[in-house]
Amino acid sequence: MASYPWYLMIILPYTRRELPGWGRLAGWLGVLGNQCDYRWTGAPTRTIRSTWHGYRMRLDLRNWSDRHTYFLGRYFDAETQLTLKRLLNPGDVLMDVGANIGMMTLLGADLVGSEGRVLSFEPNPESAGHVRFHLELNGIDHVRLYACALGSQEAVMRLHVSEGYSGSATLADVANRQGERFSREVDVPVRRGDDVLREAGLRASVVKIDAEGFEPYVLEGLERTLEQDRPAVLMECVDRLLKPVGSSRSLLAKQMETMGYRGYDIRIERRTRLSFLPFDPASESSSEAVWLHREDNRNSLLHGG
């Protein structure tokens, strides 16, 4: 399809306002989900201004993630974004580990303001190029892009790039990732987060990690930061992704609790209302969690409605 069908032009104002039933309507019309990508072969690339942070985003409508973002006017992952909104303040420092094309980096740049800093880490060269493009497109100069991964030690490792979604690229073993296809591999540099922060002369306020199962190693490389600076940690916690590296939700919880952190599973109620429940290692329905040090006064923010 070279341009929008007329009926998609009609529903765009409806989905942008997230009116009741927008998801069912968009799904019925073949807008959402990677299973609909075949319908969008040849679709255009569009640049829109986010309804949540005001920065411009270039979106490839052939890709389900970009298409979802286009029809909402915001990045689709509401839980993570709303949690960042609750935790970040002007002047803060955000580490966006696994930035993909830069959607969370853009939100973080808006939340911390020009007096704050965002350190954006993306090892996939193609995705890092998208982050760089978005920073230049919006004239953002308080974000530092690092075209590398974070881990427990400096190294060069093999990154497996997903065929259908760049956000699924991983350094973990993909042999047991059933139902997923990885189109190529690329060797990428890996650094320790502690070293990057020390070199930058910064202290992290919030660390967001989406490393597709590699989270335990990212945390090992941030041990000094977690013990001394005690940033909030917002990360994906999925057993299916953690098992290939010999970890699990339970082991990840022990890793964080050893450093004095308390975990919360993130749930969304209605469009913008969050609830934070004590982290349940056995849960199979929760994928995003936030961790705060027990002495962090931001614990109270998670119960403020």
PDB file of all heavy atoms in Angstrom, residues 179-194:
ATOM      1  N   GLY A 179       9.844 -19.591  18.005  1.00  0.00           N
ATOM      2  CA  GLY A 179       8.895 -18.691  17.378  1.00  0.00           C
ATOM      3  C   GLY A 179       9.495 -17.379  16.922  1.00  0.00           C
ATOM      4  O   GLY A 179       8.787 -16.541  16.363  1.00  0.00           O
ATOM      5  N   GLU A 180      10.790 -17.176  17.151  1.00  0.00           N
ATOM      6  CA  GLU A 180      11.444 -15.947  16.736  1.00  0.00           C
ATOM      7  C   GLU A 180      12.510 -16.266  15.693  1.00  0.00           C
ATOM      8  O   GLU A 180      13.163 -17.303  15.746  1.00  0.00           O
ATOM      9  CB  GLU A 180      12.090 -15.241  17.930  1.00  0.00           C
ATOM     10  CG  GLU A 180      11.101 -14.755  18.967  1.00  0.00           C
ATOM     11  CD  GLU A 180      11.796 -13.991  20.089  1.00  0.00           C
ATOM     12  OE1 GLU A 180      12.382 -12.936  19.807  1.00  0.00           O
ATOM     13  OE2 GLU A 180      11.751 -14.468  21.233  1.00  0.00           O
ATOM     14  N   ARG A 181      12.681 -15.346  14.778  1.00  0.00           N
ATOM     15  CA  ARG A 181      13.688 -15.508  13.735  1.00  0.00           C
ATOM     16  C   ARG A 181      14.686 -14.365  13.820  1.00  0.00           C
ATOM     17  O   ARG A 181      14.302 -13.203  13.957  1.00  0.00           O
ATOM     18  CB  ARG A 181      13.020 -15.533  12.353  1.00  0.00           C
ATOM     19  CG  ARG A 181      12.039 -16.689  12.172  1.00  0.00           C
ATOM     20  CD  ARG A 181      11.370 -16.636  10.821  1.00  0.00           C
ATOM     21  NE  ARG A 181      12.341 -16.837   9.735  1.00  0.00           N
ATOM     22  CZ  ARG A 181      12.002 -16.821   8.454  1.00  0.00           C
ATOM     23  NH1 ARG A 181      10.748 -16.613   8.093  1.00  0.00           N
ATOM     24  NH2 ARG A 181      12.935 -17.011   7.522  1.00  0.00           N
ATOM     25  N   PHE A 182      15.963 -14.724  13.744  1.00  0.00           N
ATOM     26  CA  PHE A 182      17.029 -13.729  13.814  1.00  0.00           C
ATOM     27  C   PHE A 182      17.744 -13.706  12.472  1.00  0.00           C
ATOM     28  O   PHE A 182      18.268 -14.718  12.006  1.00  0.00           O
ATOM     29  CB  PHE A 182      17.979 -14.052  14.966  1.00  0.00           C
ATOM     30  CG  PHE A 182      17.320 -13.904  16.312  1.00  0.00           C
ATOM     31  CD1 PHE A 182      16.590 -14.943  16.863  1.00  0.00           C
ATOM     32  CD2 PHE A 182      17.403 -12.708  17.003  1.00  0.00           C
ATOM     33  CE1 PHE A 182      15.967 -14.809  18.092  1.00  0.00           C
ATOM     34  CE2 PHE A 182      16.784 -12.565  18.229  1.00  0.00           C
ATOM     35  CZ  PHE A 182      16.053 -13.609  18.775  1.00  0.00           C
ATOM     36  N   SER A 183      17.723 -12.540  11.846  1.00  0.00           N
ATOM     37  CA  SER A 183      18.136 -12.428  10.453  1.00  0.00           C
ATOM     38  C   SER A 183      19.641 -12.278  10.272  1.00  0.00           C
ATOM     39  O   SER A 183      20.178 -12.623   9.219  1.00  0.00           O
ATOM     40  CB  SER A 183      17.427 -11.244   9.791  1.00  0.00           C
ATOM     41  OG  SER A 183      17.726 -10.034  10.483  1.00  0.00           O
ATOM     42  N   ARG A 184      20.323 -11.759  11.275  1.00  0.00           N
ATOM     43  CA  ARG A 184      21.764 -11.563  11.101  1.00  0.00           C
ATOM     44  C   ARG A 184      22.451 -11.443  12.456  1.00  0.00           C
ATOM     45  O   ARG A 184      21.788 -11.303  13.489  1.00  0.00           O
ATOM     46  CB  ARG A 184      22.049 -10.312  10.267  1.00  0.00           C
ATOM     47  CG  ARG A 184      21.522  -9.022  10.858  1.00  0.00           C
ATOM     48  CD  ARG A 184      21.623  -7.873   9.865  1.00  0.00           C
ATOM     49  NE  ARG A 184      21.050  -6.650  10.380  1.00  0.00           N
ATOM     50  CZ  ARG A 184      21.734  -5.729  11.048  1.00  0.00           C
ATOM     51  NH1 ARG A 184      23.040  -5.912  11.256  1.00  0.00           N
ATOM     52  NH2 ARG A 184      21.157  -4.631  11.482  1.00  0.00           N
ATOM     53  N   GLU A 185      23.773 -11.490  12.431  1.00  0.00           N
ATOM     54  CA  GLU A 185      24.582 -11.330  13.631  1.00  0.00           C
ATOM     55  C   GLU A 185      25.635 -10.261  13.376  1.00  0.00           C
ATOM     56  O   GLU A 185      26.122 -10.112  12.250  1.00  0.00           O
ATOM     57  CB  GLU A 185      25.264 -12.650  14.000  1.00  0.00           C
ATOM     58  CG  GLU A 185      24.294 -13.784  14.307  1.00  0.00           C
ATOM     59  CD  GLU A 185      25.017 -15.091  14.569  1.00  0.00           C
ATOM     60  OE1 GLU A 185      26.212 -15.205  14.165  1.00  0.00           O
ATOM     61  OE2 GLU A 185      24.419 -15.998  15.165  1.00  0.00           O
ATOM     62  N   VAL A 186      25.975  -9.528  14.415  1.00  0.00           N
ATOM     63  CA  VAL A 186      26.987  -8.486  14.283  1.00  0.00           C
ATOM     64  C   VAL A 186      27.787  -8.417  15.578  1.00  0.00           C
ATOM     65  O   VAL A 186      27.222  -8.542  16.671  1.00  0.00           O
ATOM     66  CB  VAL A 186      26.341  -7.115  13.957  1.00  0.00           C
ATOM     67  CG1 VAL A 186      25.328  -6.701  15.005  1.00  0.00           C
ATOM     68  CG2 VAL A 186      27.399  -6.050  13.756  1.00  0.00           C
ATOM     69  N   ASP A 187      29.089  -8.276  15.461  1.00  0.00           N
ATOM     70  CA  ASP A 187      29.936  -8.140  16.642  1.00  0.00           C
ATOM     71  C   ASP A 187      29.873  -6.691  17.133  1.00  0.00           C
ATOM     72  O   ASP A 187      30.046  -5.748  16.352  1.00  0.00           O
ATOM     73  CB  ASP A 187      31.380  -8.513  16.317  1.00  0.00           C
ATOM     74  CG  ASP A 187      31.542 -10.003  16.077  1.00  0.00           C
ATOM     75  OD1 ASP A 187      30.699 -10.773  16.578  1.00  0.00           O
ATOM     76  OD2 ASP A 187      32.499 -10.403  15.384  1.00  0.00           O
ATOM     77  N   VAL A 188      29.629  -6.524  18.442  1.00  0.00           N
ATOM     78  CA  VAL A 188      29.450  -5.186  18.998  1.00  0.00           C
ATOM     79  C   VAL A 188      30.309  -5.022  20.259  1.00  0.00           C
ATOM     80  O   VAL A 188      30.586  -5.990  20.965  1.00  0.00           O
ATOM     81  CB  VAL A 188      27.972  -4.915  19.347  1.00  0.00           C
ATOM     82  CG1 VAL A 188      27.097  -5.002  18.100  1.00  0.00           C
ATOM     83  CG2 VAL A 188      27.474  -5.885  20.426  1.00  0.00           C
ATOM     84  N   PRO A 189      30.723  -3.793  20.558  1.00  0.00           N
ATOM     85  CA  PRO A 189      31.468  -3.555  21.796  1.00  0.00           C
ATOM     86  C   PRO A 189      30.546  -3.583  23.010  1.00  0.00           C
ATOM     87  O   PRO A 189      29.384  -3.192  22.928  1.00  0.00           O
ATOM     88  CB  PRO A 189      32.058  -2.151  21.582  1.00  0.00           C
ATOM     89  CG  PRO A 189      31.115  -1.491  20.625  1.00  0.00           C
ATOM     90  CD  PRO A 189      30.601  -2.587  19.728  1.00  0.00           C
ATOM     91  N   VAL A 190      31.091  -4.064  24.107  1.00  0.00           N
ATOM     92  CA  VAL A 190      30.359  -4.124  25.380  1.00  0.00           C
ATOM     93  C   VAL A 190      31.188  -3.393  26.426  1.00  0.00           C
ATOM     94  O   VAL A 190      32.403  -3.611  26.534  1.00  0.00           O
ATOM     95  CB  VAL A 190      30.110  -5.578  25.827  1.00  0.00           C
ATOM     96  CG1 VAL A 190      29.342  -5.606  27.144  1.00  0.00           C
ATOM     97  CG2 VAL A 190      29.362  -6.349  24.744  1.00  0.00           C
ATOM     98  N   ARG A 191      30.531  -2.534  27.217  1.00  0.00           N
ATOM     99  CA  ARG A 191      31.219  -1.800  28.265  1.00  0.00           C
ATOM    100  C   ARG A 191      30.516  -1.996  29.599  1.00  0.00           C
ATOM    101  O   ARG A 191      29.374  -2.465  29.662  1.00  0.00           O
ATOM    102  CB  ARG A 191      31.272  -0.306  27.922  1.00  0.00           C
ATOM    103  CG  ARG A 191      32.001   0.024  26.628  1.00  0.00           C
ATOM    104  CD  ARG A 191      32.354   1.482  26.571  1.00  0.00           C
ATOM    105  NE  ARG A 191      33.257   1.845  27.663  1.00  0.00           N
ATOM    106  CZ  ARG A 191      33.542   3.107  28.003  1.00  0.00           C
ATOM    107  NH1 ARG A 191      32.993   4.122  27.359  1.00  0.00           N
ATOM    108  NH2 ARG A 191      34.365   3.358  29.013  1.00  0.00           N
ATOM    109  N   ARG A 192      31.208  -1.625  30.679  1.00  0.00           N
ATOM    110  CA  ARG A 192      30.610  -1.633  32.017  1.00  0.00           C
ATOM    111  C   ARG A 192      29.973  -0.277  32.287  1.00  0.00           C
ATOM    112  O   ARG A 192      30.588   0.775  32.063  1.00  0.00           O
ATOM    113  CB  ARG A 192      31.674  -1.917  33.078  1.00  0.00           C
ATOM    114  CG  ARG A 192      32.201  -3.339  33.088  1.00  0.00           C
ATOM    115  CD  ARG A 192      33.350  -3.485  34.084  1.00  0.00           C
ATOM    116  NE  ARG A 192      33.004  -2.943  35.383  1.00  0.00           N
ATOM    117  CZ  ARG A 192      32.364  -3.621  36.340  1.00  0.00           C
ATOM    118  NH1 ARG A 192      32.027  -4.887  36.131  1.00  0.00           N
ATOM    119  NH2 ARG A 192      32.081  -3.057  37.490  1.00  0.00           N
ATOM    120  N   GLY A 193      28.747  -0.305  32.771  1.00  0.00           N
ATOM    121  CA  GLY A 193      28.056   0.940  33.059  1.00  0.00           C
ATOM    122  C   GLY A 193      28.769   1.792  34.087  1.00  0.00           C
ATOM    123  O   GLY A 193      28.786   3.033  33.986  1.00  0.00           O
ATOM    124  N   ASP A 194      29.370   1.151  35.102  1.00  0.00           N
ATOM    125  CA  ASP A 194      30.112   1.893  36.127  1.00  0.00           C
ATOM    126  C   ASP A 194      31.224   2.728  35.491  1.00  0.00           C
ATOM    127  O   ASP A 194      31.441   3.890  35.868  1.00  0.00           O
ATOM    128  CB  ASP A 194      30.726   0.923  37.145  1.00  0.00           C
ATOM    129  CG  ASP A 194      29.719   0.392  38.148  1.00  0.00           C
ATOM    130  OD1 ASP A 194      28.658   1.022  38.318  1.00  0.00           O
ATOM    131  OD2 ASP A 194      30.010  -0.663  38.757  1.00  0.00           O
TER     132      ASP A 194
END
